[in-house]
Amino acid sequence: MSEPIYITCSHCMAKNRLPADKVNQDAKCGKCKKSILVDDPIALTDQNFQRFIQNNDLPVIVDFWATWCGPCQMMAPVYAQVSSNMKSQARFAKVDTEQAQQVAASFNIRSIPTLIVYKAGKEVARQAGAMDKSSLTNWIKSQL
């Protein structure tokens, strides 16, 4: 059996321990019994942001966006598609900067869309601007 990793449930935010070699399987949350890993990015708020990025052993990629932002809207389906394809390699989340202003301010978000990669709760990479699927996938893989 491989070393366990900790992954936060996409639904109830409970911290779950999984064997690292079982991440690709459809693991269920010990608390809410729903799938821990989901295809779509998780919407984070001021209230659950820190808990989510700190309680995942997988890297967390966060898309900071806003509803009024044209490039954000263009990149949203691409981000969702990459999230679905890479859900066992990293966690994917979105932060609406209009709704989660404290989080956006604390990370000094000045332009959107901005993507930030977190490992062990710490920012390790940042990229501003919309990307196509190939560019986004390659950038994420280079950060993992």
Side-chain angles (χ1 to χ4, degrees), residues 32-128:
C32 73
K33 309 300 182 213
K34 295 181 181 177
S35 291
I36 294 172
L37 301 177
V38 294
D39 289 343
D40 295 323
I42 298 124
L44 297 180
T45 64
D46 287 334
Q47 290 74 35
N48 65 10
F49 183 85
Q50 287 299 328
R51 178 176 175 84
F52 189 79
I53 66 163
Q54 290 178 345
N55 289 334
N56 277 296
D57 285 342
L58 291 176
V60 180
I61 292 88
V62 180
D63 174 19
F64 290 87
W65 69 287
T67 56
W68 52 262
C69 170
C72 298
Q73 297 300 329
M74 287 176 27
M75 194 174 89
V78 171
Y79 187 72
Q81 193 174 23
V82 171
S83 170
S84 177
N85 294 341
M86 298 181 75
K87 71 180 181 183
S88 65
Q89 298 168 36
R91 305 301 311 274
F92 290 81
K94 292 180 75 77
V95 171
D96 182 341
T97 57
E98 296 294 306
Q99 301 299 317
Q101 292 181 5
Q102 290 176 335
V103 170
S106 70
F107 288 99
N108 206 22
I109 303 300
R110 296 285 181 238
S111 64
I112 52 175
T114 292
L115 297 173
I116 299 180
V117 178
Y118 299 91
K119 290 183 182 175
K122 306 281 188 234
E123 179 179 337
V124 295
R126 181 183 291 231
Q127 175 69 41

Side-chain angles (χ1 to χ4, degrees), residues 15-28:
K15 189 174 181 180
N16 289 268
R17 183 178 63 183
L18 298 173
D21 59 353
K22 305 284 186 197
V23 172
N24 288 331
Q25 297 176 0
D26 187 27
K28 304 288 185 209

